[in-house]
Amino acid sequence: MKHEWSSKFTFILAAVGSAVGLGNIWKFPYITGEYGGGVFILAYLFCIALIGLPIMLAEVALGRRGKQSPVNTMTQLSLEAGGHPAWRLLGWSGMVAGCLILSYYSVIAGEVLAYSFRASSGAFEHQTVDGIKGILNSLVSDPEKLLAWHTIFMALTVLAVAKGVRGGIEKTVTFLMPALFILLIFLVFYAMTTDGFGQAVDFMFTPDADKFFYARSELGQYLLDANGEKIFTWKPMMVAMGHAFFTLSLGMGAIMMYGSYLNRHVSIGQMVLIIISLDTLVALLAGLAIFPLVFANDLNPAAGPGLIFETLPLAFGNMLGGTLVGTLFFVLLFFAALSSAISLIEPTIAWLIESKGIRRIKASVMTGIVVWFIGLGTIFSMTGTTLGDIFQPLVGNISLNSGLFKYNFFQLIDLLTASIMLPLGGLFIAIFAGWVMQQDSTEREFSFKNRFVYPSWQFMIRYVSPFLVAIVFLNIIGIF
Ligand code: PFF
């Protein structure tokens, strides 16, 4: 069954729906906080422009030319270009990365759902910092609660993909995305009225290279080596680059998949510029809404994954109409997460349908169960469940020490996917689009009007993007 988006507008909505999600509103602020602000944001924007933009163009073009799930698209395009059949591995690694990411994405999205209910019950009203921390703690230290919300979110994701991408996404994103955007702008205005706004702007836009390039503890102190010197690290650069891929949904076939549903006559360049601008704007707005609250309330910007759950409820609890605004915010964020979750799982579902002849509903349920199960690992790494607890022997204890850094299961999966699998996928997509595919086919797929655009893209995808990804990779090998 081949279907296309009903218009180019729906493609934009779906792709923005995939790109804008927890990555922008939950992850971007907390990693920016952890890696010191200004320079991290600069590095991230640099990666978006020099790596994300050319690779997103390539992914959409490849998808539209292949018109199938990423595995089969890659098989067909490499056949067409006389490349090695192993290029299909790119599709495979994308499916694995998508399922791994969704496994923890769903746990966090479950927390968002839980917070929608907390907000609507007025739980945040007039709360103090300690009260808000207590609410978060009672959720993240309770495996049963997390499990219940994770299960609900996965079930909703399965339900949405089972209905088919068009039925599932188009309606969801048409109204809810713009609503989320407007609410974020409102929150930035609110943040401007707090006395942390100036400090937040400083933090986000004044580069402090030391905080970025030298390893620091969770409390923000510099780590020192045996000689008492600060320790230089490439990890923040790796996280910034990985986040550029994550936030744009690149490197794993999600955008390729959506490109495959795109009509031949639509201009890819225009679409991609809109998607990237909106995604970046949402992340910066989220930062401007959250950091003022961090500073106004003397919270730690490096608080980690709990950051939005600690800051925003404080604001909702103290503003007029906060119960309504807070509920609306978490509900909209939940839908943003759902539209991203759909795109994480769709490449696998589409492949199961195409290549294994499995019905959509069955394929969705099967994949959902596998992802749900992997998600247990994240739940246990959040609750710090110890040996002897129910599923502990399976997942809870996996951790890795890499000299400087210690990773639990959730951090390990995040590192493996966002910082390694997505950039590696992107690197190979760049090599494939730039070197293996015939120039004729990519040129025709883009049909850029201005004659300087194609050669610029080609230069970027052949040399600049792969070179930058490779440099970061070569430098992080030292971390392990
Ligand atoms: N881009 C999504 C976000 O920022 O929340 C997450 C994501 C979706 C990553 C789809 C990768 C992907 F393929």
Side-chain angles (χ1 to χ4, degrees):
M1 178 188 61
K2 288 279 159 293
H3 48 228
E4 286 190 350
W5 303 109
S6 25
S7 70
K8 68 178 186 186
F9 186 57
T10 14
F11 168 72
I12 294 183
L13 282 172
V16 172
S18 166
V20 173
L22 297 176
N24 307 62
I25 292 169
W26 161 74
K27 194 172 184 190
F28 174 72
Y30 92 73
I31 52 179
T32 300
E34 272 174 25
Y35 298 110
V39 179
F40 182 83
I41 294 188
L42 267 183
Y44 153 81
L45 292 175
F46 184 79
C47 293
I48 294 271
L50 298 184
I51 305 175
L53 175 62
I55 293 183
M56 187 179 273
L57 286 166
E59 265 204 46
V60 179
L62 259 58
R64 185 165 73 175
R65 195 171 175 81
K67 286 243 163 273
Q68 299 161 69
S69 67
V71 173
N72 292 330
T73 284
M74 288 311 297
T75 310
Q76 188 198 317
L77 294 184
S78 67
L79 198 72
E80 187 184 290
H84 196 280
W87 280 105
R88 72 194 330 245
L89 285 176
L90 199 53
W92 274 98
S93 90
M95 293 199 296
V96 174
C99 291
L100 288 177
I101 293 175
L102 184 55
S103 79
Y104 75 75
Y105 206 84
S106 163
V107 176
I108 309 295
E111 288 181 25
V112 169
L113 206 51
Y115 265 58
S116 314
F117 286 94
R118 306 260 189 298
S120 67
S121 72
F124 305 141
E125 275 168 31
H126 311 299
Q127 284 287 1
T128 58
V129 171
D130 286 340
I132 294 288
K133 284 190 175 169
I135 294 177
L136 178 62
N137 247 335
S138 75
L139 177 65
V140 296
S141 60
D142 185 340
E144 281 157 23
K145 275 190 202 155
L146 285 182
L147 183 65
W149 290 113
H150 165 57
T151 308
I152 294 173
F153 185 81
M154 271 318 298
L156 293 171
T157 304
V158 165
L159 211 67
V161 272
K163 274 174 64 187
V165 165
R166 285 210 15 215
I169 303 182
E170 288 197 11
K171 289 189 205 87
T172 318
V173 287
T174 311
F175 299 104
L176 300 171
M177 274 295 155
L180 178 65
F181 192 69
I182 292 168
L183 198 63
L184 260 182
I185 293 179
F186 169 80
L187 287 176
V188 174
F189 276 112
Y190 174 82
M192 280 179 182
T193 66
T194 66
D195 52 9
F197 194 74
Q199 221 179 326
V201 171
D202 239 23
F203 178 76
M204 286 177 66
F205 301 112
T206 312
D208 179 343
D210 273 21
K211 282 193 193 155
F212 183 75
F213 285 114
Y214 293 101
R216 291 181 306 145
S217 73
E218 275 164 23
L219 294 174
Q221 284 125 352
Y222 290 106
L223 302 175
L224 302 177
D225 64 14
N227 303 323
E229 304 276 339
K230 290 191 276 192
I231 304 167
F232 185 86
T233 171
W234 269 79
K235 190 181 172 199
M237 192 59 226
M238 167 184 85
V239 175
M241 181 180 77
H243 190 65
F245 281 95
F246 185 89
T247 191
L248 296 177
S249 306
L250 294 179
M252 56 140 286
I255 291 294
M256 197 186 286
M257 186 77 241
Y258 281 7
S260 77
Y261 302 137
L262 187 62
N263 183 284
R264 288 252 168 262
H265 307 292
V266 175
S267 142
I268 294 180
Q270 228 181 25
M271 302 290 101
V272 165
L273 279 180
I274 296 175
I275 298 162
I276 293 190
S277 315
L278 285 176
D279 185 77
T280 310
L281 191 61
V282 170
L284 294 176
L285 286 175
L288 285 173
I290 287 162
F291 285 114
L293 304 172
V294 170
F295 294 113
N297 294 295
D298 270 332
L299 295 167
N300 175 12
L307 193 65
I308 62 159
F309 300 108
E310 283 183 4
T311 47
L312 292 176
L314 266 176
F316 298 140
N318 293 301
M319 69 171 72
L320 200 69
T323 298
L324 180 69
V325 177
T327 311
L328 211 57
F329 175 82
F330 283 112
V331 168
L332 290 173
L333 182 55
F334 155 75
F335 280 107
L338 186 65
S339 56
S340 300
I342 292 172
S343 72
L344 281 163
I345 203 176
E346 177 64 15
T348 306
I349 311 285
W351 174 76
L352 285 172
I353 298 171
E354 275 167 23
S355 294
K356 301 282 159 208
I358 299 176
R359 279 175 43 235
R360 181 169 269 277
I361 297 186
K362 191 169 162 201
S364 311
V365 173
M366 278 168 37
T367 317
I369 291 176
V370 174
V371 173
W372 175 86
F373 190 75
I374 308 172
L376 299 182
T378 290
I379 292 182
F380 293 128
S381 43
M382 300 222 159
T383 55
T385 311
T386 52
L387 204 80
D389 287 319
I390 331 165
F391 295 106
Q392 176 63 21
L394 291 176
V395 281
N397 243 356
I398 300 175
S399 72
L400 175 84
N401 265 315
S402 73
L404 272 185
F405 306 102
K406 186 165 186 282
Y407 301 92
N408 62 27
F409 184 83
F410 156 65
Q411 291 161 331
L412 212 57
I413 296 246
D414 182 32
L415 179 87
L416 178 71
T417 51
S419 298
I420 298 175
M421 291 179 85
L422 300 189
L424 211 56
L427 176 67
F428 284 111
I429 287 170
I431 295 173
F432 185 81
W435 296 98
V436 180
M437 269 177 95
Q438 269 131 23
Q439 177 164 335
D440 225 29
S441 25
T442 44
E443 203 165 5
R444 213 165 336 120
E445 210 55 56
F446 289 128
S447 314
F448 290 127
K449 291 211 180 68
N450 182 316
R451 65 195 168 90
F452 297 112
V453 181
Y454 184 80
S456 316
W457 171 80
Q458 199 177 38
F459 178 73
M460 298 292 289
I461 206 81
R462 282 190 162 178
Y463 305 101
V464 181
S465 316
F467 178 73
L468 291 175
V469 176
I471 293 196
V472 177
F473 269 129
L474 292 177
N475 279 290
I476 59 167
I477 290 174
I479 289 183
F480 297 101

